[in-house]
């Protein structure tokens, strides 16, 4: 028997040697209904609720049945002390999810079912239904928790993927913006050059126009003076 079986809070009888080869001991009977007045013996009900433990040691098959000895008030006090001691020695967490605490409390509840079943089989079977319902509810919550964890992981991966895509888009847009800024700078420089050339050309055109006007004005004055001198000369 391993150490975990020895440490169980459920009270068992002394181990019984069944055979030297692996074979089945008592068959596990089905649970009798609560409303059946012709109940089987207490031991059979206990073995149905808490099946016997089987293990092989050195080629020998051992079976250990749950104890059918009624519990006293001292047994209940000892059970509480053993539970507190095991919770402390195995360093079970007081809050949150703790497999060790869950295992020890499950063993304690099985022991309480054993004690109640010996005194009243119907009450023990009803407690068994309560225990199974609690375990089924916990299993459903565990499944829901695992599903939520998986859903959260998928959402986190999707968020990381979208984040990477957004970062790539941001880098692409930043590169496009830098390219457009570079092109804008080049166009601004080209516009400045064109404006400078146009201003210089316009200045040259204005100066040329002014020179032509001044030349024509001087030519006109000269021709006017010549004409006046010709008109003023005496006729022969």
């Amino acid at each position: 028997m391993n150490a975990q079986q020895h440490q169980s809070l459920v009270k068992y009888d002394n181990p019984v040697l069944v055979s030297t080869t692996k074979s089945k001991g008592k068959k596990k009977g089905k649970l009798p209904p609560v409303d059946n007045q012709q109940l089987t013996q207490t031991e059979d009900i206990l073995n149905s609720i808490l099946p016997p433990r089987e293990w092989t040691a050195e080629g020998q098959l051992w079976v250990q049945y749950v104890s059918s000895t009624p519990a006293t008030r001292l047994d209940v006090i000892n059970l509480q002390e053993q539970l507190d001691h095991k919770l402390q020695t195995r360093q079970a967490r007081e809050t949150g999810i703790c497999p060790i605490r869950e295992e020890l409390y499950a063993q304690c509840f099985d022991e309480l079912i054993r004690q109640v079943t010996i005194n009243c089989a119907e009450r023990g079977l009803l407690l068994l239904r309560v225990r199974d319902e609690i375990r089924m509810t916990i299993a459903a919550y565990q499944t829901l928790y695992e599903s939520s964890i998986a859903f959260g992981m998928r959402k986190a991966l999707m968020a990381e993927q979208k984040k990477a895509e957004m970062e790539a888009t941001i880098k692409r847009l930043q590169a496009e913006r830098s390219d457009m800024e570079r092109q804008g700078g080049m166009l601004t420089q080209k516009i400045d050059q064109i404006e400078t050339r146009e201003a210089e050309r316009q200045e040259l055109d204005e100066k040329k126009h002014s020179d032509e006007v001044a030349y024509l004005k001087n030519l006109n004055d000269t021709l006017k003076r010549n004409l006046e001198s010709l008109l003023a000369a005496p006729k022969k």
Side-chain angles (χ1 to χ4, degrees), residues 132-228:
D132 293 341
E133 177 64 24
I134 292 174
R135 289 181 177 178
M136 185 175 62
T137 303
I138 293 176
Y141 279 122
Q142 288 178 345
T143 302
L144 181 61
Y145 172 75
E146 293 173 356
S147 299
S148 64
I149 291 295
F151 178 78
M153 290 297 295
R154 288 196 301 269
K155 285 296 183 180
L157 292 175
M158 291 175 60
E160 288 294 331
Q161 183 179 0
K162 289 184 178 180
K163 180 181 178 182
E165 293 176 356
M166 291 298 295
E167 289 178 350
T169 303
I170 290 173
K171 289 182 180 180
R172 178 176 57 81
L173 293 177
Q174 287 177 346
E176 292 179 358
R177 186 193 65 181
S178 300
D179 185 64
M180 290 182 178
E181 288 178 351
R182 180 182 59 80
Q183 293 181 5
M186 294 175 60
L187 292 175
T188 301
Q189 184 179 3
K190 186 176 293 185
I191 290 172
D192 293 338
Q193 293 176 356
I194 293 174
E195 288 179 349
T196 301
R197 287 198 303 267
E198 287 297 321
E200 293 175 353
R201 185 182 63 79
Q202 185 176 1
E203 185 179 357
L204 290 175
D205 290 342
E206 290 179 354
K207 184 176 182 301
K208 183 178 180 181
H209 178 69
S210 298
D211 293 342
E212 290 180 354
V213 170
Y215 171 75
L216 293 174
K217 186 176 181 181
N218 292 332
L219 180 60
N220 183 48
D221 292 340
T222 302
L223 292 175
K224 183 178 179 181
R225 286 194 300 270
N226 292 335
L227 181 60
E228 289 177 353

Side-chain angles (χ1 to χ4, degrees), residues 34 42 44 48 53 69 79 103 113 134 159 176 184 212 218 236:
V34 175
T42 303
D44 293 334
S48 298
R53 300 187 296 191
T69 304
L79 176 63
E103 175 189 354
I113 292 176
I134 292 174
E176 292 179 358
E212 290 180 354
N218 292 332
K236 294 182 178 181

Side-chain angles (χ1 to χ4, degrees), residues 42 46 67-71 112-121 124:
T42 303
L46 286 175
S67 176
S68 59
T69 304
L112 292 177
I113 292 176
R114 183 196 71 83
Q115 297 176 7
V116 171
T117 303
I118 294 173
N119 296 327
C120 179

Side-chain angles (χ1 to χ4, degrees), residues 56-147:
T56 302
E58 298 179 356
Q60 295 178 336
L61 177 62
W62 293 84
V63 177
Q64 189 176 26
Y65 295 94
V66 67
S67 176
S68 59
T69 304
T72 62
R73 181 175 179 271
L74 182 60
D75 292 334
V76 178
I77 295 175
N78 290 333
L79 176 63
Q80 181 178 355
E81 293 177 352
Q82 291 177 10
L83 175 62
D84 295 336
H85 177 71
K86 289 182 181 297
L87 288 172
Q88 183 177 4
T89 55
R90 296 184 62 179
Q91 299 180 352
R93 291 193 295 268
E94 295 183 0
T95 58
I97 299 176
C98 179
I100 297 176
R101 190 178 75 248
E102 179 183 358
E103 175 189 354
L104 292 177
Y105 273 99
Q107 292 179 6
C108 181
F109 194 60
D110 287 343
E111 172 62 16
L112 292 177
I113 292 176
R114 183 196 71 83
Q115 297 176 7
V116 171
T117 303
I118 294 173
N119 296 327
C120 179
E122 291 84 353
R123 191 179 301 156
L125 293 172
L126 186 58
L127 282 177
L128 176 65
R129 290 181 58 186
V130 174
R131 184 199 69 178
D132 293 341
E133 177 64 24
I134 292 174
R135 289 181 177 178
M136 185 175 62
T137 303
I138 293 176
Y141 279 122
Q142 288 178 345
T143 302
L144 181 61
Y145 172 75
E146 293 173 356
S147 299

Side-chain angles (χ1 to χ4, degrees), residues 1 4-6 8 12 51-55 62-65:
M1 184 191 302
Q4 186 178 1
Q5 290 173 330
H6 281 297
S8 176
Y12 283 87
R53 300 187 296 191
E54 299 179 1
W55 70 94
W62 293 84
V63 177
Q64 189 176 26
Y65 295 94

